[in-house]
Amino acid sequence: MPRPGRAELRRLAQRVRRRRRRTALREIPLLLGVAVLIALVVKTFLVQAFVIPSGSMEQTIRVGDRVVVDKLTPWFGSRPHRGDVVVFKDPGGWLGADGPPHKPDAAALHAVKKGLTAIGLLPSDNEHDLIKRVVAVGGDHVACCDSRGRVAVNGTPVDEPYVHPGNKPSAVPFEVRVPAGRLFVMGDHRADSGDSRFHQDPRFRGTVSEDSVVGRAVVIAWPLGHWATLGQRAAYAHVADAPVGAASAPDGSHKVAPQKPKATAVLPIPAELPLVMGVVGLHHARCRRRHEVRS
């Protein structure tokens, strides 16, 4: 059998290159689809990052810090502990209308942003989440303030090293028995945080449901110079757990004022600013379309 000439070899090589190009073009959509799927799974079940533009968690979390939120452990039944910093869905009315106005985009740009937001590559304009520190859990009795101005949990005063310098643990007196399955949360910048103290509904008295927790903020990932872990469970290590049966269904017995019949309750002055979210992972299956967090 005669060997092919140089011209025939060139034609064969060209055909091979064309086949490879066609194969590569067919594989690109598949690779992109796999990448998007991986991003969605990561964001849904593993981690998510939030950029903090407000100051209600200062000085622990500063404006512009990026915090990484663990979304994996709640899937295995882990519950928030006292001292944890958690991201949670707005219980209703906490966000208010004091966020910055959003300039509407052109229709085409809006569609592109919506698509990128869905896979976690852009922050969302929708504000549905907040970030606070857990001060008390279901069954706990939390009150402020003792003779030294400290918050007490189950009768034990807590020294809170994370409170913003110059702030009192709380300028608003309160006393709450936390219902089962709920959390009493406060911002570290106590003078600039619209938290459980200022949302005293008759039934839950400002506590938030454990089911509304998106995840636990575990670390400040950026900037590197401000890298730090966020948990402060050690501050509550000496606090005894509530007696068995103390956590009960919510009723009208919780108070957020001194126990004086004629005392006037201090009105809240919520001063929350929105947090703009950036992501390194995916939406929690139970969380909605995309998150922007408020602290």
Side-chain angles (χ1 to χ4, degrees), residues 59-96:
Q59 291 289 340
T60 306
I61 306 174
R62 301 172 184 170
V63 174
D65 285 353
R66 184 179 294 266
V67 300
V68 176
V69 174
D70 167 26
K71 299 175 112 181
L72 178 63
T73 53
W75 287 91
F76 294 93
S78 175
R79 294 184 176 183
H81 292 72
R82 305 181 197 100
D84 286 348
V85 176
V86 295
V87 172
F88 57 95
K89 293 182 286 187
D90 179 13
W94 283 40
L95 294 176

Side-chain angles (χ1 to χ4, degrees), residues 104-290:
D105 297 316
L109 181 59
H110 176 74
V112 172
K113 284 186 174 182
K114 187 175 180 180
L116 294 176
T117 295
I119 59 175
L121 297 180
L122 279 182
S124 173
D125 291 334
N126 299 307
E127 303 161 7
H128 298 285
D129 296 344
L130 301 99
I131 182 168
K132 303 289 180 189
R133 189 179 298 277
V134 177
V135 175
V137 297
D140 285 347
H141 175 269
V142 57
C144 190
C145 301
D146 73 349
S147 58
R148 292 172 53 188
R150 296 172 296 180
V151 172
V153 181
N154 298 332
T156 303
V158 179
D159 292 316
E160 301 179 276
Y162 44 77
V163 172
H164 190 285
N167 278 190
K168 297 179 180 179
S170 180
V172 179
F174 60 85
E175 182 177 358
V176 173
R177 174 73 70 179
V178 182
R182 302 190 70 84
L183 308 168
F184 191 91
V185 296
M186 299 171 71
D188 290 356
H189 194 174
R190 299 291 163 82
D192 189 26
S193 175
D195 46 46
S196 291
R197 298 169 295 167
F198 301 122
H199 297 280
Q200 296 298 310
D201 60 282
R203 186 180 183 192
F204 297 117
R205 296 295 183 179
T207 62
V208 300
S209 171
E210 290 182 358
D211 292 337
S212 69
V213 173
V214 175
R216 180 170 59 94
V218 293
V219 67
I220 299 172
W222 187 264
L224 295 178
H226 193 215
W227 189 95
T229 55
L230 292 173
Q232 286 282 355
R233 295 182 182 181
Y236 297 83
H238 60 293
V239 175
D241 290 336
V244 177
S248 59
D251 52 38
S253 64
H254 310 303
K255 300 178 180 64
V256 160
Q259 294 188 20
K260 298 179 181 179
K262 297 183 179 180
T264 302
V266 181
L267 296 178
I269 308 175
E272 296 185 352
L273 295 174
L275 291 168
V276 181
M277 179 190 75
V279 287
V280 293
L282 254 221
H283 278 158
H284 201 296
R286 65 188 182 190
C287 290
R288 58 279 145 209
R289 41 199 185 274
R290 179 83 170 86

